[in-house]
Protein backbone atom coordinates (compact mmCIF):
# COMPACT_ATOMS: atom_id res chain seq x y z
CA UNK A 1 0.00 0.00 0.00
CA UNK A 2 1.26 3.47 -0.89
CA UNK A 3 0.62 6.24 1.66
CA UNK A 4 1.20 9.92 0.86
CA UNK A 5 1.18 12.53 3.65
CA UNK A 6 1.90 16.24 3.88
CA UNK A 7 4.63 16.53 6.51
CA UNK A 8 6.11 19.47 8.39
CA UNK A 9 9.75 19.47 9.41
CA UNK A 10 9.86 19.99 13.15
CA UNK A 11 12.18 21.85 15.44
CA UNK A 12 13.04 20.86 19.00
CA UNK A 13 10.31 21.82 21.46
CA UNK A 14 12.53 21.65 24.58
CA UNK A 15 11.96 24.69 26.77
CA UNK A 16 9.14 26.18 24.70
CA UNK A 17 6.44 27.54 27.02
CA UNK A 18 4.33 30.05 25.09
CA UNK A 19 1.61 27.40 24.57
CA UNK A 20 1.30 23.61 25.00
CA UNK A 21 3.28 21.54 22.51
CA UNK A 22 3.98 17.85 21.95
CA UNK A 23 7.52 16.65 22.54
CA UNK A 24 9.53 16.31 19.35
CA UNK A 25 13.06 16.72 18.10
CA UNK A 26 14.71 18.79 15.42
CA UNK A 27 14.47 17.61 11.81
CA UNK A 28 11.74 15.08 12.46
CA UNK A 29 8.53 15.12 10.44
CA UNK A 30 5.00 15.71 11.69
CA UNK A 31 2.23 14.49 9.39
CA UNK A 32 -0.45 17.17 9.09
CA UNK A 33 -4.14 16.28 9.05
CA UNK A 34 -7.40 16.45 10.88
CA UNK A 35 -6.57 13.88 13.58
CA UNK A 36 -3.81 15.79 15.38
CA UNK A 37 -4.08 16.39 19.11
CA UNK A 38 -4.18 19.99 20.40
CA UNK A 39 -0.57 19.66 21.53
CA UNK A 40 0.48 18.45 18.06
CA UNK A 41 -1.33 21.40 16.46
CA UNK A 42 0.57 23.62 18.88
CA UNK A 43 3.81 21.98 17.78
CA UNK A 44 3.00 22.61 14.13
CA UNK A 45 2.18 26.26 14.76
CA UNK A 46 5.36 26.67 16.79
CA UNK A 47 7.53 25.14 14.06
CA UNK A 48 6.01 27.25 11.28
CA UNK A 49 6.42 30.39 13.40
CA UNK A 50 10.01 29.45 14.25
CA UNK A 51 10.74 28.81 10.57
CA UNK A 52 9.80 32.45 9.86
CA UNK A 53 11.24 33.98 13.04
CA UNK A 54 13.74 36.21 11.26
CA UNK A 55 14.41 39.94 11.14
CA UNK A 56 14.12 41.63 7.76
CA UNK A 57 15.58 45.04 7.27
CA UNK A 58 13.66 47.68 5.39
CA UNK A 59 12.15 51.08 5.78
CA UNK A 60 8.66 51.01 7.21
CA UNK A 61 8.87 47.45 8.55
CA UNK A 62 7.13 47.06 11.93
CA UNK A 63 9.35 46.86 14.95
CA UNK A 64 9.68 43.56 16.76
CA UNK A 65 7.52 43.53 19.91
CA UNK A 66 9.23 43.16 23.24
CA UNK A 67 6.70 40.79 24.83
CA UNK A 68 7.68 37.09 24.41
CA UNK A 69 4.58 36.04 22.46
CA UNK A 70 4.54 39.01 20.11
CA UNK A 71 8.29 38.66 19.61
CA UNK A 72 8.00 34.99 18.65
CA UNK A 73 5.08 35.57 16.25
CA UNK A 74 6.61 38.68 14.69
CA UNK A 75 8.03 37.07 11.55
CA UNK A 76 4.96 34.92 10.96
CA UNK A 77 2.69 37.96 11.15
CA UNK A 78 4.81 40.46 9.23
CA UNK A 79 6.76 38.63 6.52
CA UNK A 80 5.42 38.76 2.97
CA UNK A 81 6.82 35.39 1.89
CA UNK A 82 6.26 32.69 4.48
CA UNK A 83 7.85 29.24 4.48
CA UNK A 84 6.84 25.91 6.01
CA UNK A 85 9.71 23.42 5.84
CA UNK A 86 8.66 19.96 4.71
CA UNK A 87 6.71 18.59 1.78
CA UNK A 88 5.07 15.32 0.84
CA UNK A 89 6.21 11.97 2.23
CA UNK A 90 5.44 8.82 0.26
CA UNK A 91 5.68 5.47 2.04
CA UNK A 92 5.38 1.95 0.64
CA UNK A 93 3.99 0.12 3.66
CA UNK A 94 4.79 -3.27 2.13
CA UNK A 95 8.54 -2.59 1.94
CA UNK A 96 8.98 0.22 4.45
CA UNK A 97 10.66 2.38 1.82
CA UNK A 98 9.80 6.07 2.22
CA UNK A 99 10.52 9.12 0.12
CA UNK A 100 10.81 12.15 2.40
CA UNK A 101 11.42 15.81 1.54
CA UNK A 102 15.04 16.90 1.61
CA UNK A 103 16.63 19.95 3.17
CA UNK A 104 15.28 23.34 2.04
CA UNK A 105 12.08 21.80 0.67
CA UNK A 106 8.83 23.54 1.57
CA UNK A 107 5.22 22.47 1.68
CA UNK A 108 4.40 25.08 -0.98
CA UNK A 109 6.57 23.08 -3.40
CA UNK A 110 4.05 20.26 -3.39
CA UNK A 111 2.58 21.91 -6.52
CA UNK A 112 5.66 20.62 -8.34
CA UNK A 113 4.20 17.12 -8.06
CA UNK A 114 1.59 18.18 -10.61
CA UNK A 115 4.39 18.91 -13.07
CA UNK A 116 5.36 15.25 -12.82
CA UNK A 117 1.86 14.22 -13.87
CA UNK A 118 0.84 16.96 -16.30
CA UNK A 119 3.99 18.95 -17.08
CA UNK A 120 7.68 18.28 -17.65
CA UNK A 121 7.45 14.82 -16.12
CA UNK A 122 9.91 15.23 -13.26
CA UNK A 123 10.54 17.19 -10.08
CA UNK A 124 13.02 17.16 -7.21
CA UNK A 125 12.34 18.06 -3.60
CA UNK A 126 15.36 19.33 -1.68
CA UNK A 127 18.72 17.76 -0.96
CA UNK A 128 20.51 15.57 1.59
CA UNK A 129 18.72 13.36 0.60
CA UNK A 130 17.75 14.39 -2.94
CA UNK A 131 14.31 12.86 -3.67
CA UNK A 132 13.29 12.73 -7.32
CA UNK A 133 9.97 11.96 -9.04
CA UNK A 134 9.87 10.98 -12.73
CA UNK A 135 6.99 10.09 -15.03
CA UNK A 136 7.61 6.94 -17.06
CA UNK A 137 4.59 6.28 -19.24
CA UNK A 138 1.64 5.62 -16.96
CA UNK A 139 3.86 5.13 -13.91
CA UNK A 140 5.73 7.54 -11.63
CA UNK A 141 9.08 6.40 -10.29
CA UNK A 142 10.16 7.93 -6.99
CA UNK A 143 13.89 7.78 -6.25
CA UNK A 144 14.58 8.17 -2.56
CA UNK A 145 18.00 9.80 -3.08
CA UNK A 146 19.07 10.62 -6.64
CA UNK A 147 22.65 11.14 -5.41
CA UNK A 148 22.96 7.41 -4.66
CA UNK A 149 23.41 4.98 -7.53
CA UNK A 150 21.68 2.16 -5.66
CA UNK A 151 18.92 4.29 -4.15
CA UNK A 152 15.66 2.49 -3.33
CA UNK A 153 12.70 3.45 -5.51
CA UNK A 154 8.93 3.42 -5.26
CA UNK A 155 6.71 3.09 -8.33
CA UNK A 156 3.01 3.85 -8.53
CA UNK A 157 0.47 4.47 -11.30
CA UNK A 158 -0.17 8.10 -12.23
CA UNK A 159 -3.89 7.67 -11.54
CA UNK A 160 -3.06 6.63 -7.96
CA UNK A 161 -0.67 9.54 -7.45
CA UNK A 162 -3.27 12.02 -8.65
CA UNK A 163 -5.77 10.66 -6.09
CA UNK A 164 -3.17 10.72 -3.30
CA UNK A 165 -2.27 14.34 -4.08
CA UNK A 166 -5.93 15.32 -3.82
CA UNK A 167 -6.12 13.52 -0.46
CA UNK A 168 -3.07 15.46 0.74
CA UNK A 169 -4.81 18.75 -0.03
CA UNK A 170 -7.78 17.62 2.05
CA UNK A 171 -5.41 16.69 4.90
CA UNK A 172 -3.85 20.16 4.85
CA UNK A 173 -7.27 21.83 4.79
CA UNK A 174 -8.34 19.64 7.73
CA UNK A 175 -5.22 20.64 9.66
CA UNK A 176 -5.94 24.31 9.03
CA UNK A 177 -9.48 23.91 10.34
CA UNK A 178 -8.01 22.41 13.52
CA UNK A 179 -5.58 25.31 13.74
CA UNK A 180 -8.44 27.82 13.56
CA UNK A 181 -10.10 26.29 16.62
CA UNK A 182 -6.76 25.87 18.37
CA UNK A 183 -5.78 29.51 17.82
CA UNK A 184 -9.09 30.76 19.18
CA UNK A 185 -8.30 28.99 22.46
CA UNK A 186 -4.54 29.50 22.76
CA UNK A 187 -3.90 32.74 20.85
CA UNK A 188 -7.17 34.66 21.17
CA UNK A 189 -5.55 38.06 20.63
CA UNK A 190 -3.74 36.88 17.48
CA UNK A 191 -6.05 34.16 16.16
CA UNK A 192 -7.19 35.78 12.90
CA UNK A 193 -3.76 36.92 11.64
CA UNK A 194 -2.09 33.70 12.76
CA UNK A 195 -4.60 31.54 10.89
CA UNK A 196 -4.29 33.72 7.79
CA UNK A 197 -0.50 33.44 7.99
CA UNK A 198 -0.67 29.66 8.37
CA UNK A 199 -2.81 29.46 5.24
CA UNK A 200 -0.23 31.48 3.32
CA UNK A 201 2.68 29.43 4.65
CA UNK A 202 0.92 26.22 3.58
CA UNK A 203 -0.24 27.73 0.26
CA UNK A 204 -3.89 27.22 1.14
CA UNK A 205 -6.87 29.47 0.47
CA UNK A 206 -7.66 31.41 3.63
CA UNK A 207 -11.21 30.60 4.76
CA UNK A 208 -13.22 33.02 6.78
CA UNK A 209 -12.26 32.65 10.43
CA UNK A 210 -15.37 32.39 12.63
CA UNK A 211 -15.66 34.92 15.42
CA UNK A 212 -15.81 33.44 18.95
Amino acid sequence: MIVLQPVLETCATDGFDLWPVAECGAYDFLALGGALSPAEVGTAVMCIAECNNVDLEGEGRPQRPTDPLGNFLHGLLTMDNLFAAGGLRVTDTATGIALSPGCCSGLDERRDWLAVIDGDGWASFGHDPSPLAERMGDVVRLTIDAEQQDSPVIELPIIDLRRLLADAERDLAAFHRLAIGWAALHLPDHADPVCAALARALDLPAPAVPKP
Side-chain angles (χ1 to χ4, degrees):
M1 179 180 176
I2 304 297
V3 177
L4 186 150
Q5 300 168 299
V7 293
L8 178 71
E9 184 180 292
T10 62
C11 49
T13 56
D14 295 348
F16 184 82
D17 60 2
L18 294 177
W19 58 75
V21 293
E23 183 177 347
C24 68
Y27 309 114
D28 291 334
F29 287 112
L30 174 65
L32 301 182
L36 296 184
S37 69
E40 289 172 327
V41 175
T43 297
V45 175
M46 172 206 156
C47 292
I48 295 173
E50 177 62 30
C51 198
N52 296 280
N53 190 17
V54 297
D55 286 312
L56 295 180
E57 297 181 357
E59 185 176 353
R61 292 199 60 83
Q63 291 187 340
R64 181 178 284 272
T66 57
D67 67 284
L69 179 59
N71 185 290
F72 183 70
L73 294 175
H74 178 69
L76 182 68
L77 299 184
T78 62
M79 286 181 59
D80 294 327
N81 299 312
L82 298 174
F83 181 72
L88 300 182
R89 180 175 62 196
V90 183
T91 305
D92 184 340
T93 60
T95 64
I97 296 173
L99 178 142
S100 297
C103 180
C104 302
S105 176
L107 271 159
D108 60 310
E109 295 178 54
R110 69 186 185 278
R111 309 297 183 194
D112 293 348
W113 284 86
L114 296 177
V116 179
I117 297 174
D118 300 316
D120 295 339
W122 73 276
S124 58
F125 306 96
H127 58 89
D128 297 325
S130 299
L132 176 68
E134 301 172 281
R135 186 181 68 230
M136 310 181 90
D138 294 331
V139 171
V140 174
R141 172 176 288 180
L142 309 179
T143 302
I144 308 309
D145 188 351
E147 297 299 319
Q148 295 185 7
Q149 289 187 341
D150 59 347
S151 171
V153 299
I154 298 172
E155 293 187 348
L156 71 162
I158 285 178
I159 189 171
D160 290 350
L161 178 58
R162 193 183 298 277
R163 172 182 53 80
L164 290 169
L165 291 175
D167 289 344
E169 292 302 312
R170 285 189 283 271
D171 286 338
L172 284 171
F175 162 74
H176 192 253
R177 288 193 294 272
L178 281 183
I180 290 172
W182 177 92
L185 290 174
H186 296 279
L187 299 173
D189 295 334
H190 302 279
D192 286 8
V194 164
C195 291
L198 291 175
R200 290 196 294 119
L202 298 172
D203 194 18
L204 290 171
V209 179
K211 298 295 184 181

